[in-house]
Amino acid sequence: MSIHLVGETTDARTAHQRARGGEWIPLVRGVYVDRDGDVDVAILGHAVRIAHYLYPNAYLSSASAVLLAPTPDGRLFISGRRNQRTRLRSLEIVQNEAAPHPSTATAIIGDDLGELHITVSAPRQRFLEAFRLRSEHATAISPEMRAQMAARLLAEHDTPQAAADAVWALARENGWYREGEGAERFLLARRGGTTPVNKAALTLKVAWHGDRIGRLSHDGSEWRWTPAPRSGPALIRDTRPGQLPSFIESLLPEGWLARILHERDARDVLRHGRRYLSNITIVEERTRSATLPTDVLSTSLARFADNGCFTGAYAGPERGEIEATFEQNLARIVARAQTPRLSGVQIKAPMSLTPEGVLIPAVDQPFTHILKPAGAAGFDLLPVVEWLCLELGRAAGFETPETALVSMPDNLPPALVVERFDIRRGPHDQRCLAMEDFCSILDLPASSKYDGTIEKMARALRALSTDPDADLDTLFRRAVFAWLIGDGDMHLKNLAVLKTAHAGSKTFDAVRLAPLYDPVTTRVFPGLGKDRMALKLNGKDDRLTRQDFLGLARTMGLSMRDADAAMTTLARQITARIETLRLPAFALEHEGARAMHYRVLAMASGQCAALDGARH
């Protein structure tokens, strides 16, 4: 399998024809790859050539200048005129602003298209790059690489002082004084001295499906992610020097759960928790993780659900006959280290469904299902609303997880149980699965989950998905669906991709938009009657029209005809389901459920009529 570069290996007309015919896949402007075969392997195998084609005036730097290839986690480091990054599936080209007067050399790279002469950072230059402050280029250089660079300079200049003087000369020329100081200290350091140990330092090992994938350390000031040598796909990227990797941050509790756990910061959370979504375990270096249960689905919720009602037995936390509240009972369960930790602000409990149909807390059991009990302060029917929205989403053609409403003890409002879609299905399933939300994909903290736009998500998805055309179509329809049901909470953490790698794969075999989750008609809750869209599209988050969605489709590169037809189909599918959708009888018995049922469906019906009636 090979890549094709317009102007070098093919012409624009041929490339366009082959792409339209389905033979080639466009990666980025001017770069195509054969559809048949392993696309990720082709991209990584030609990573340097692609970077040189896109940025001909840049040079390889940092770890890539040493490896003459991407790092094991798929990042290729270059330096050029400005800071920017380009993501192409499993490859991420990370460019920082080059030094004013860099020291460079020439290297030869060989791939399936032949040999390529490129410019790289010279030994002095790359050694200084290893000491840049809060630089992703610096954190990509491992301690072993740094030691090898120092040995190379010492071999050239004979003594540590001569090597330090040579490095300092380049540092002064570029104004890199802090980098020069760090490099000098490293070169002149003597072995055998005793260095005081900061007892607040923390080292954690991170495993995915039980396989160690790296080390997460905190020196008392900053975080550092060190990937483990392995042949599998790279899951975690260290793109924010000194900060917690976005993927790890996306796993941490928010809102209610963060409050009841009384954990002061991310260090506290990671020290006291062990199990997380996406089949991740994080424990201290000295702790054995093999004793933790493996999250594998052995019993499908569909076996114990009938017309939206859970028919199994609930054995989770109860309100009780004493002063303790349901939330406090639930808090005692999730505070235990073995209990999986969930992200998000809604009250959630990790549960396990036994083969006998008993729903129990997933403390020492596989974490297979999520229980969403009723909220407070006017949100006691939130699980009912989410069930209705998931049913509408299923009717609209979206992939959705198995769900059911649960009759709760002590006259509590109904809860919603949701089957996890990011875990293995049975003992013979050897896939590695992980879910990454768009806060992590866009390298944003959880606090910025409302700061993106649908257009930004589309650009990231196009570069990441293994079937971008299908996923962009789904993302467009998801945006329309959120508007039609009055969902004002479809933020960056409520949209994700599901990554799948088969046993022995070096890259992800599939990266697809994850099934629909957490859809809610927010406008039916107190104080949210005028709720806007969580993310803007076409520059707007309210009073959206058919033309706004067509503008979004145009920006996403979708066919106007297909987008127009998709809106009409969505509106009609939802309208048709509204006519037949009914809550389970036990749920209707709860106070206010019948009125809430009517309000949700009336909201969706009105939005669908308005959008469908506006077509030309």
Side-chain angles (χ1 to χ4, degrees):
M1 179 181 231
S2 187
I3 63 167
H4 309 277
L5 308 175
V6 173
E8 291 190 7
T9 64
T10 187
D11 59 85
R13 183 177 180 179
T14 300
H16 182 66
Q17 290 175 339
R18 294 287 181 89
R20 288 194 63 180
E23 298 177 57
W24 294 355
I25 299 173
L27 298 176
V28 70
R29 191 176 185 87
V31 182
Y32 297 80
V33 65
D34 293 336
R35 183 173 293 276
D36 297 331
D38 194 323
V39 176
D40 288 305
V41 170
I43 293 172
L44 291 173
H46 299 85
V48 176
R49 188 177 295 273
I50 293 172
H52 182 68
Y53 175 81
L54 296 175
Y55 310 106
N57 297 320
Y59 57 89
L60 284 187
S61 56
S62 179
S64 296
V66 179
L67 301 171
L68 299 181
T71 57
D73 61 1
R75 289 179 295 167
L76 185 76
F77 293 93
I78 62 175
S79 294
R81 291 185 297 176
R82 60 181 181 273
N83 296 321
Q84 62 182 9
R85 57 198 319 129
T86 302
R87 193 163 184 180
L88 305 174
R89 299 279 286 271
S90 55
L91 171 68
E92 187 163 29
I93 302 172
V94 184
Q95 176 174 287
N96 72 349
E97 187 175 350
H101 307 286
S103 173
T104 60
T106 300
I108 303 172
I109 305 292
D111 57 25
D112 291 342
L113 296 181
E115 292 187 348
L116 175 69
H117 288 70
I118 60 165
T119 304
V120 302
S121 293
R124 288 188 303 159
Q125 176 72 31
R126 71 183 73 144
F127 191 60
L128 285 172
E129 290 167 353
F131 293 92
R132 301 225 66 183
L133 301 178
R134 290 193 177 276
S135 165
E136 188 176 347
H137 280 57
T139 57
I141 297 174
S142 66
E144 293 77 13
M145 282 186 184
R146 190 178 292 189
Q148 291 170 5
M149 292 179 185
R152 163 68 176 78
L153 290 171
L154 289 171
E156 179 181 354
H157 298 282
D158 296 329
T159 67
Q161 187 60 59
D165 291 343
V167 171
W168 253 116
L170 181 61
R172 291 192 191 94
E173 190 176 356
N174 288 286
W176 285 14
Y177 299 107
R178 297 291 295 273
E179 290 82 352
E181 291 172 357
E184 181 181 45
R185 281 195 298 270
F186 192 91
L187 288 168
L188 298 181
R190 294 183 178 179
R191 297 180 179 273
T194 302
T195 304
V197 176
N198 179 8
K199 295 185 178 180
L202 179 66
T203 302
L204 305 164
K205 57 182 178 182
V206 181
W208 180 39
H209 286 285
D211 181 22
R212 182 169 179 161
I213 60 173
R215 182 175 69 250
L216 186 64
S217 56
H218 192 276
D219 60 8
S221 175
E222 294 188 333
W223 289 100
R224 184 181 180 92
W225 167 253
T226 307
R230 58 192 302 272
S231 59
L235 181 62
I236 300 173
R237 298 173 296 128
D238 188 9
T239 56
R240 301 185 296 169
Q243 301 180 54
L244 200 62
S246 298
F247 183 86
I248 298 292
E249 184 179 356
S250 71
L251 302 174
L252 303 186
E254 302 172 73
W256 169 84
L257 183 54
R259 289 195 305 272
I260 63 99
L261 289 175
H262 303 297
E263 290 164 335
R264 295 170 295 178
D265 52 25
R267 292 176 76 259
D268 237 12
V269 175
L270 293 169
R271 289 179 69 177
H272 296 114
R274 293 185 181 182
R275 302 165 63 191
Y276 300 85
L277 287 172
S278 291
N279 310 287
I280 296 292
T281 56
I282 303 176
V283 297
E284 291 197 59
E285 190 75 40
R286 62 180 179 273
T287 305
R288 294 183 59 190
S289 57
T291 57
L292 298 175
T294 303
D295 297 335
V296 177
L297 185 70
S298 60
T299 305
S300 174
L301 180 60
R303 288 184 55 199
F304 300 97
D306 182 26
N307 292 322
C309 177
F310 178 60
T311 59
Y314 173 76
E318 301 180 8
R319 190 191 298 275
E321 299 177 352
I322 54 176
E323 294 181 356
T325 67
F326 174 83
E327 288 189 14
Q328 289 170 335
N329 283 323
L330 184 56
R332 279 195 288 271
I333 292 174
V334 300
R336 296 175 63 179
Q338 307 94 291
T339 304
R341 302 295 174 88
L342 292 86
S343 63
V345 298
Q346 185 182 358
I347 299 175
K348 303 173 186 175
M351 307 294 285
S352 183
L353 182 62
T354 70
E356 296 74 31
V358 182
L359 200 59
I360 59 176
V363 179
D364 297 310
Q365 302 294 326
F367 173 25
T368 60
H369 293 77
I370 299 172
L371 181 77
K372 299 184 177 184
F379 289 85
D380 55 324
L381 291 173
L382 182 59
V384 168
V385 173
E386 184 173 342
W387 181 84
L388 289 168
C389 293
L390 282 165
E391 286 298 308
L392 293 177
R394 189 173 289 114
F398 295 111
E399 185 181 357
T400 58
E402 293 288 342
T403 58
L405 288 170
V406 181
S407 179
M408 298 293 283
D410 303 317
N411 200 34
L412 283 166
L416 179 70
V417 61
V418 182
E419 189 163 281
R420 289 182 62 185
F421 51 76
D422 64 331
I423 57 174
R424 291 170 173 168
R425 263 47 190 169
H428 302 296
D429 187 353
Q430 296 301 308
R431 295 174 302 161
C432 291
L433 303 103
M435 189 173 76
E436 184 174 12
D437 65 43
F438 274 85
C439 268
S440 174
I441 291 169
L442 297 175
D443 288 322
L444 294 173
S447 58
S448 299
K449 61 186 178 184
Y450 294 104
D451 293 349
T453 66
I454 302 296
E455 289 86 350
K456 286 182 180 179
M457 293 174 61
R459 285 195 292 271
L461 186 61
R462 181 179 291 280
L464 189 61
S465 171
T466 52
D467 192 347
D469 292 340
D471 279 343
L472 287 171
D473 175 71
T474 301
L475 178 61
F476 172 78
R477 293 188 300 111
R478 289 277 286 273
V480 177
F481 177 72
W483 175 250
L484 292 178
I485 67 170
D487 184 357
D489 205 38
M490 191 186 75
H491 50 66
L492 295 176
K493 287 189 69 62
N494 280 346
L495 286 154
V497 296
L498 185 63
K499 299 181 173 183
T500 306
H502 293 99
S505 294
K506 295 183 178 180
T507 58
F508 287 105
D509 299 291
V511 179
R512 300 297 307 277
L513 199 63
L516 178 68
Y517 66 94
D518 289 354
V520 173
T521 302
T522 56
R523 292 189 178 188
V524 298
F525 292 104
L528 298 177
K530 296 183 179 179
D531 203 18
R532 299 166 177 263
M533 290 279 282
L535 303 172
K536 288 186 177 181
L537 60 91
N538 202 32
K540 298 168 62 177
D541 58 9
D542 198 14
R543 302 181 184 276
L544 298 173
T545 66
R546 201 174 185 92
Q547 292 305 312
D548 289 317
F549 286 107
L550 288 174
L552 169 66
R554 187 179 300 109
T555 302
M556 294 173 67
L558 303 179
S559 160
M560 294 296 99
R561 179 182 298 177
D562 291 346
D564 192 62
M567 285 188 279
T568 299
T569 300
L570 271 173
R572 294 180 179 179
Q573 287 172 325
I574 293 171
T575 301
R577 184 66 177 104
I578 287 172
E579 297 296 324
T580 61
L581 182 56
R582 298 292 181 269
L583 281 170
F586 85 89
L588 285 171
E589 294 174 0
H590 189 78
E591 181 181 359
R594 193 176 300 273
M596 182 63 81
H597 172 266
Y598 172 78
R599 292 179 64 192
V600 170
L601 299 190
M603 166 68 67
S605 180
Q607 293 284 91
C608 289
L611 190 70
D612 193 28
R615 72 185 189 279
H616 297 289

